[in-house]
Amino acid sequence: CIDSIFLHALQGDEIRLSDVDLLIFDEAHNAVGKSCYSKIMKWYYHPLPHEERPHIVGMTASPGDDREYWSTERRILDLTEILDSS
């Protein structure tokens, strides 16, 4: 997966997130828990000063769990926090 390749490049100092202008997350609903997307955001994006952070585009067709409204709403709120969106 490209997300794990990118994470390994960050971990190996092959690339710095501050050198990236735009970061696109496909299937952004997976940016939770211990996923590579979540690790990239928590370990590399959020610690950067705001002016050094890349822009984020998160795309998903499945933002939540349709079984329970509160669960879907909570998941969307969690994703917007992790992906630094509003």
Side-chain angles (χ1 to χ4, degrees), residues 49-60:
H50 286 277
E51 63 275 4
E52 293 183 24
R53 293 177 178 177
H55 295 282
I56 303 290
V57 174
M59 300 179 293
T60 183

Side-chain angles (χ1 to χ4, degrees), residues 1-11 23-27 30 34-38 40:
C1 297
I2 193 71
D3 54 336
S4 62
I5 293 170
F6 188 70
L7 177 60
H8 289 292
L10 289 168
Q11 290 171 326
L23 194 55
I24 300 172
F25 291 115
D26 189 20
E27 304 291 331
N30 292 321
K34 296 180 180 180
S35 70
C36 290
Y37 287 165
S38 182
I40 290 166

Side-chain angles (χ1 to χ4, degrees), residues 65-78:
D65 184 346
D66 292 334
R67 293 174 283 180
E68 296 185 38
Y69 173 78
W70 69 269
S71 175
T72 299
E73 183 178 27
R74 179 73 255 157
R75 185 171 171 104
I76 291 170
L77 291 172
D78 288 347

Side-chain angles (χ1 to χ4, degrees), residues 13-27:
D13 292 326
E14 297 171 44
I15 189 168
R16 295 183 322 185
L17 197 55
S18 59
D19 292 333
V20 174
D21 292 322
L22 177 64
L23 194 55
I24 300 172
F25 291 115
D26 189 20
E27 304 291 331

